[in-house]
Amino acid sequence: MDILIYGTINSVVLALYALGFALVYGISRLPNFAHGALYVLSGFITWSLLNILGLPYLPAIILTMIITAVIGALIYQFVLIRIRGMEISEIIASYAIGLAIIESLRYFGFRGMTYTLPAFVEGSIDIGDIPVDYHRLIIVGIGLVVVLLLWLFTHYTKIGLALRGMAQDERAALMLGIDSDMMAIVAMAFGSMLAALAAILLLPLGNIVVESGYNVLILAIAVCIVGGLGSWVGSIFAAFLIGFAQILTAVYLGSHYQMVVALLAIIITLIVKPSGLFGQQKELEERV
Amino acid sequence: MLEATGLMVFYENMLALNNISIKCEKNQIVGVFGANSAGKSTLMYTLSGIMQDIRKKEKMAGGERITIHGDIFFNGKSITDTRPSRIARMGVILCPERRRIFKESTVLENLKIGGYLASRSQAKETMEYVFKIFPALKELKKRTGGFLSGGEQQMLAIGRALMAQPKILLLDEPLLGLSPLMQLTLVKATKEIRDDMGLTIIVTEQYARPVIPIVDYAFILENGAAVLEGTREELMNNPDVRAAYFGV
């Protein structure tokens, strides 16, 4: 029973880590290695808004999401747009930006155990005989709502549909008047916003530590690779797969093996099915 | 309406378009005929601004060097260096070779994505029209694009292009690989679209015979150059053309 509950929670957490990364990659084929850094950064932005400017919680959250989205858009507009389509350069540049963000946060003293965000609602409830705090339930709830909203957004709004068109065939989208640079910026802003949302939801569970930026990035990449790069359904499925695998390992082998599970999942996927569970290998088709 | 003068396109040192000047008037259907590698698709890409976008991206990646000379005018305004999304917004819509429909989306979604530039009422109206001229699509609304047959995909591609509210529609090899019956359907539909929506249409094809009955004016390309042009009657009566392109 506790495996089921905590497995679900952990899976939703992983899905939240990965959604932003999957969204950006799925739409503009940009592996955003600054994802983890944006996650940590938005944690500190929220903390600053709460404790330095003294804003109430909800406005601070909304403001953080907007600020992070703008930062993501700026990163794209001023750096990544120049190396569009060159995968290695994209990885190096975005990773460099991520490193710069994380290390400058460390440099300016945002480190150690002193920075925490308050939980949305204190207290816990017993499900069966397992205590689960309210905040984790909220995470699961909001996680599901986000997935649902994202699905509605990409199926029923003009911009969402345009984003999906661009994800499938950028040049065909261009012929229909969909500005691919503009859409890539929108995608990056959305991806960053999702990173911020994940941070705001998940950081109250522990301390804000700069190093978690790297962990988040690795977990996000693991989920996306296992699920198939660019496939959102696959990512969510993979999040549950890895999420439960992690909890099972924690219960039966010890919690310090949790990270190994994610990395092992990457390796096994790349050996057995390199395109991931739901990924499609498109290159063959494009060559014809 | 759309006019190109002295258009030259190089891929590295290879000449793909050689000093082509074409012109089409409002409400005409203009044919562009030529064999493989005569430069039909290059011409279409250049007219719709896609070639300029490819040039920009190749330059950024340090890839193939593409050079474009000449001018393109749409309604008297130069669009030679306008961004493709702006050109599309002005009403020049390309329905590309090999259709390039969105294979993972349903027919309905393909049309909706096509309607990105349309207002809500325009999109609704055009979608009804698309289902009217291509009733087959209506039955397949929920079908994923990749599972359609070639002919259905081509209908969808044309429908999707219409959703973008074109003033001038560029059809690049719409009959490629289709059965004679389907070819006939599409040719008839093309004429109908022109008559109903008051569009201007440029259509390219390798083999002129199925399309020639509906074109008003045509150009014949060979090795990137326009070797011959004229009205339908003029071309039909030219013995060389008859032998080479109509198989008579």
Side-chain angles (χ1 to χ4, degrees):
Chain A
M1 186 64 186
D2 51 346
I3 290 177
L4 194 66
I5 291 168
Y6 278 92
T8 309
I9 293 169
N10 193 36
S11 308
V12 174
V13 169
L14 285 177
L16 281 169
Y17 284 155
L19 267 182
F21 188 89
L23 183 87
V24 176
Y25 187 84
I27 287 161
S28 47
R29 298 276 168 254
L30 168 75
N32 177 20
F33 275 59
H35 186 72
L38 287 169
Y39 172 87
V40 177
L41 181 65
S42 49
F44 282 112
I45 291 174
T46 321
W47 186 88
S48 309
L49 291 175
L50 281 176
N51 294 306
I52 296 176
L53 294 181
L55 289 175
Y57 211 174
L58 192 65
I61 289 172
I62 293 168
L63 208 56
T64 306
M65 287 173 62
I66 294 170
I67 292 173
T68 317
V70 171
I71 292 173
L74 289 178
I75 290 175
Y76 192 85
Q77 175 66 29
F78 287 106
V79 185
L80 299 176
I81 204 166
R82 285 156 214 283
I83 46 171
R84 189 86 204 285
M86 288 174 276
E87 280 112 5
I88 302 293
S89 307
E90 282 173 347
I91 291 177
I92 294 172
S94 59
Y95 192 60
I97 292 167
L99 272 181
I101 292 175
I102 290 183
E103 295 308 321
S104 38
L105 281 175
R106 199 200 298 276
Y107 180 78
F108 289 113
F110 286 109
R111 60 176 166 228
M113 301 296 183
T114 46
Y115 299 95
T116 52
L117 293 177
F120 296 163
V121 187
E122 298 289 347
S124 63
I125 188 176
D126 287 344
I127 300 179
D129 46 358
I130 324 288
V132 183
D133 41 8
Y134 286 128
H135 190 86
R136 282 174 213 268
L137 290 178
I138 291 176
I139 290 175
V140 173
I142 294 185
L144 297 178
V145 169
V146 166
V147 170
L148 186 71
L149 283 180
L150 217 57
W151 190 84
L152 289 174
F153 171 70
T154 52
H155 282 77
Y156 291 103
T157 66
K158 208 176 223 184
I159 291 180
L161 281 164
L163 287 172
R164 275 176 69 209
M166 191 182 135
Q168 292 177 50
D169 190 337
E170 191 176 323
R171 197 176 290 165
L174 205 58
M175 289 164 193
L176 298 167
I178 296 167
D179 189 337
S180 53
D181 287 339
M182 192 62 219
M183 284 300 146
I185 291 175
V186 171
M188 183 73 181
F190 260 105
S192 310
M193 202 188 247
L194 283 172
L197 182 75
I200 293 161
L201 277 174
L202 303 177
L203 286 174
L205 294 177
N207 297 309
I208 312 178
V209 204
V210 272
E211 286 77 16
S212 67
Y214 299 114
N215 292 344
V216 168
L217 178 62
I218 291 171
L219 288 170
I221 291 174
V223 167
C224 289
I225 286 181
V226 172
L229 277 165
S231 162
W232 307 348
V233 182
S235 300
I236 290 162
F237 189 76
F240 275 84
L241 205 67
I242 298 178
F244 273 95
Q246 277 191 333
I247 293 297
L248 286 171
T249 339
V251 171
Y252 292 109
L253 288 174
S255 54
H256 49 284
Y257 284 113
Q258 278 196 351
M259 205 63 189
V260 179
V261 173
L263 297 173
L264 214 60
I266 297 184
I267 295 171
I268 293 174
T269 312
L270 291 182
I271 293 173
V272 179
K273 194 168 185 298
S275 56
L277 291 173
F278 286 77
Q280 285 123 331
Q281 196 51 272
K282 284 191 182 161
E283 268 152 40
L284 191 72
E285 199 177 295
E286 275 164 14
R287 257 186 271 140
V288 177
Chain B
M1 186 157 188
L2 189 72
E3 185 181 5
T5 54
L7 213 52
M8 293 180 88
V9 175
F10 294 86
Y11 299 117
E12 295 286 347
N13 294 327
M14 200 200 88
L15 187 58
L17 285 188
N18 186 1
N19 199 12
I20 285 189
S21 300
I22 73 161
K23 197 175 171 182
C24 67
E25 301 298 339
K26 198 165 161 41
N27 231 344
Q28 271 188 335
I29 296 183
V30 173
V32 176
F33 304 114
N36 261 334
S37 82
K40 300 186 301 291
S41 293
T42 305
L43 178 65
M44 287 308 197
Y45 272 178
T46 314
L47 289 179
S48 58
I50 302 290
M51 188 55 75
Q52 288 82 329
D53 189 69
I54 298 174
R55 176 180 63 179
K56 191 182 89 190
K57 282 178 180 147
E58 287 286 330
K59 198 173 169 191
M60 220 155 59
E64 201 171 33
R65 197 174 66 244
I66 298 173
T67 322
I68 303 171
H69 293 295
D71 291 298
I72 305 166
F73 298 96
F74 179 61
N75 285 338
K77 265 203 332 223
S78 171
I79 54 165
T80 321
D81 289 309
T82 312
R83 290 163 55 181
S85 53
R86 288 279 303 282
I87 294 182
R89 205 170 280 267
M90 290 165 86
V92 183
I93 302 292
L94 171 63
C95 175
E97 187 185 359
R98 292 188 178 282
R99 314 181 267 270
R100 299 188 84 128
I101 59 157
F102 301 120
K103 293 206 173 93
E104 290 152 38
S105 298
T106 63
V107 169
L108 201 61
E109 282 168 350
N110 264 283
L111 292 175
K112 278 187 187 164
I113 296 172
Y116 179 71
L117 291 179
S119 70
R120 194 174 284 252
S121 59
Q122 280 174 328
K124 204 173 154 225
E125 210 173 288
T126 316
M127 198 177 294
E128 269 166 24
Y129 179 70
V130 170
F131 287 144
K132 203 189 102 202
I133 49 167
F134 298 127
L137 287 181
K138 197 168 187 174
E139 323 267 293
L140 301 164
K141 248 190 209 172
K142 294 264 183 302
R143 185 82 61 90
T144 309
F147 293 136
L148 297 179
S149 74
E152 290 158 356
Q153 286 192 11
Q154 187 61 55
M155 291 191 232
L156 178 56
I158 294 176
R160 189 184 63 177
L162 288 179
M163 290 294 290
Q165 310 301 315
K167 294 196 177 69
I168 173 161
L169 183 65
L170 311 179
L171 292 175
D172 198 358
E173 301 211 26
L175 307 183
L176 190 70
L178 302 182
S179 71
L181 195 66
M182 186 53 81
Q183 291 189 352
L184 201 67
T185 315
L186 283 169
V187 168
K188 264 165 70 187
T190 309
K191 188 169 161 36
E192 231 177 276
I193 290 166
R194 192 268 307 262
D195 295 342
D196 293 348
M197 299 183 81
L199 286 182
T200 311
I201 297 176
I202 300 184
V203 52
T204 75
E205 203 51 55
Q206 274 195 43
Y207 195 53
R209 196 172 194 169
V211 194
I212 201 82
I214 61 163
V215 301
D216 300 302
Y217 200 84
F219 296 84
I220 290 176
L221 302 192
E222 241 167 58
N223 295 323
V227 291
L228 207 71
E229 60 172 275
T231 59
R232 178 177 56 214
E233 289 75 22
E234 283 165 8
L235 290 176
M236 295 274 268
N237 295 331
N238 184 320
D240 291 344
V241 177
R242 285 166 69 99
Y245 295 96
F246 304 135
V248 184

